[in-house]
Structures are given as C-alpha cells and as structure tokens.
Amino acid sequence: MERGSDKHGPRLDEGLKGETAGMMRAGRDTHVEEWKSAEPSGEDEPDVDRAPHATMVGGTPPGMDGDDVEGRSEVASYLATSIWPAGREQVLESAIDHHAPDRVLDLVRRLPGGRSFANVNEVWLALGGHVETNRP
C-alpha cells in the first residue's frame, strides 16, 4: 500500500516542491513581493520557534535535543518502512537502495551486527543517539 497525499497527485506535488526549493536552500523567504510572504505571529499568538528552550513550548520531545531529532529523521528518511524488524545488513541495504549520502551510510555501518532492530528508534539508540523519554 502506497501512502501519499490524498489532496492532489504526484505532478502537483512536484510543482509545489519546486515552489519552495529556493526558500529551503536559502533558509529565508525568497519572495520579492511582500504580499506573498508568510505573516509573522500575531500579538496574541505564540511565536514559531524550533529551539527547545526558546519561546515555543515543546520544540523537541523530552529526552532529545535538536541534533537528535534531525539526525534520527535523516536516517529514517533513507530507510524503507517495510524492512522492520531488520538486522544491520538489511538496514544498510535499504539505506543504499534509497541513495543515502555517505554520512548516513557511515552511521549505519557502525551498527552492531547480529542484532535485530524493531524500528528507527532502536537504530538511533544503537548509534548513540537519544530518543523520547516517557512523559509523566
């Protein structure tokens, strides 16, 4: 079963991706016309912030920092969801099949052999990362 957007098709998805590519590479708004830019938060609305100890509450899950969130997400983006449970070799094969960059392949090669991983969290823990702690 393939899960994708149920709002529109792959062709429109690609078009929308192209519209935001410059902004994603630049890390800032790239619109010349002000009216196309997103409006800032209102006075009675919370600020939008990714830093966990800044103005936005809950920027990262308890037990993780921004590096853990981004690292685990990057590793997960190159692994098929259908491989679990998987051993080191299956994880590495999936990363290669999904054209993972060298930094991700180097991380996956560090996984211990002879062990089965149930999900990406277990892979990230085995690589020395942190995952969410149980909330009270």
Side-chain angles (χ1 to χ4, degrees):
M1 169 192 266
E2 183 178 336
R3 292 199 170 125
S5 173
D6 61 352
K7 305 269 183 195
H8 39 74
R11 199 160 141 206
L12 184 55
D13 284 342
E14 286 300 312
L16 293 172
K17 186 168 81 174
E19 287 181 19
T20 60
M23 183 172 51
M24 298 305 292
R25 279 193 300 268
R28 61 179 171 76
D29 192 8
T30 57
H31 292 294
V32 175
E33 297 92 358
E34 273 186 46
W35 61 270
K36 287 187 176 180
S37 301
E39 292 184 17
S41 300
E43 290 179 15
D44 60 338
E45 297 173 346
D47 289 336
V48 178
D49 197 345
R50 288 181 51 189
H53 300 295
T55 57
M56 187 171 103
V57 177
T60 57
M64 296 179 79
D65 61 21
D67 292 337
D68 283 317
V69 172
E70 290 191 25
R72 180 181 67 179
S73 177
E74 182 178 30
V75 169
S77 69
Y78 294 105
L79 301 178
T81 57
S82 60
I83 66 169
W84 310 110
R88 177 186 178 274
E89 294 307 315
Q90 288 93 352
V91 173
L92 181 58
E93 183 178 315
S94 182
I96 291 169
D97 289 347
H98 288 89
H99 309 289
D102 289 338
R103 67 182 173 278
V104 173
L105 295 176
D106 290 342
L107 278 174
V108 172
R109 286 184 180 112
R110 290 184 8 211
L111 287 171
R115 179 176 165 198
S116 181
F117 301 98
N119 54 39
V120 174
N121 272 352
E122 289 187 9
V123 168
W124 189 244
L125 281 170
L127 293 171
H130 301 94
V131 296
E132 297 93 339
T133 56
N134 292 334
R135 295 180 182 179

